[in-house]
Amino acid sequence: MLLKKLQLKTIDYRFALTICFFLFFTSIITAQEVIPDVVAQKPVETPSGGKMKIDGIIATVGDYIVLDSDIDKGFLEITAQGGSIKDITRCQMLGKLLEDKLYAHQAIQDSIIVSDAEVRSMMEERLNYMTQQVGDINKVVEYYKKGSVEEFKTYFADILKEQKLASEMRDKIVKDVEITPEEVRNFFKKIPKDELPTFGAEMEVAQIVVEPKVSKEDKQKVIDRLNAIRQDVLEGSSFATKAVLYSQDPGSAPNGGYYKMTRKTPFVKEFKDVAFSLQAGEISQPFETIYGFHIIMVEKIKGQEVELRHILISPTVSEAALKEAKERITNIRNKIVNKEVTFAEAARTESDEKETRANGGTLVNPTTQDTRFELTKMDPTLYSQVSNLKGDEVSQPLLNTDDKGKKTYKLITVTNRIDEHTADYAKDYTKIKELALKEKQINAIAKWFDAKIKDTYIKIIGEYKDCTFANNWLKK
């Protein structure tokens, strides 16, 4: 029964994560104004003699409240995003809202700070997304029944801050939760044989990447352009505005180039080295990474955390350089096909991709951090490139353009195929470790809720007192 127990917990956990995503919108509707303590869903007579329900507070958690309409709107938002509400009860939805409120409330008690810069960055990202969905910011304002864009932004900023507080609190709870090999072994031993999970068909993939060579002249043009932008900023121009206009980093350009990072944040070494060498307010000279050339301006330093803005511009690759790269990778493929060299040997000596060449070109799954890719969860582009390869067949040269517009040529091969199978401790250690860690994190969160619920003012009103919650919200 152990796995079933974990599966039930995992369902709740996945439910929570799913709701978290959809509450990207749903939490926007949780007002924090002081509202008369009206018992939720109290029926009153309408002029026609029918019944209507008055919205009101249904729960209080510390300094936060939940309205009955928040549950209804939560269901509407999930449906609008294509999700299913079939197995989600009103009590479950309320339970998730209560969790978010307790996270945010406790974050404040623990002195977790969310800066205005972070909120502004989140605001720009979310508003851009919502505007793309409906076509006009005024439609968003109208949907949330606000009088103006500025009124909506003020309201939205408070909600985003609450979301960020809750997220930081969750991260803090599980940050130090680790799992030992012995714990993983014990976790697996406790699973009855007839309850062992089944893992789908997987494959391991390797690639060789050849980058077109950029001329010194083209590199210098980019450096000169960044130096000109830097000088404009030093003379008073807005770095954020320059980033929106000129940066080629799609992840940060819409937010004025903003990033918050620590030394553990997964940025390339060259970027981190420069970021942590600057003082607040200082702007770097142009420097190069695998993505192109950058300049960085540090806005704030808080202990080991840096808030910065950056601009990325990549040199243009000429047609002649692309042609030369294709010829080079074609020659590499011919050597592999003619058995002059193995794919792994060619990757180690010829590939321009630093991240994979030391491992013979083997790709790491970004989701699981191991080398296996489950076919049903594989990136569609990668799947289309490898699905028809047979045995140790090597693909034809593939022209690849990444999300930053950088063009490369690559060869791909499948190095291992794993059929669908019942979990095996030796073969599937990484996946089993992930399940064991998830259970330990869930237990840590449950323990945290047990302790904080006892110490926090919580009140649930009306029919929701009859709910059966996963957590002891009713303090019985």
Side-chain angles (χ1 to χ4, degrees), residues 190-208:
K190 291 178 183 177
I191 304 175
K193 287 186 177 181
D194 61 345
E195 294 181 18
L196 286 171
T198 298
F199 295 129
E202 299 171 306
M203 63 172 59
E204 293 180 310
V205 180
Q207 67 181 23
I208 296 172

Side-chain angles (χ1 to χ4, degrees), residues 106 135 169-170 196 233 240 280 291 345 349 363 382 392 427:
Q106 191 59 44
M169 192 68 245
R170 282 191 295 270
L196 286 171
V233 174
Y291 300 108
E345 290 169 344
T349 58
L363 292 178
L382 179 59
D392 57 357
K427 294 179 180 178

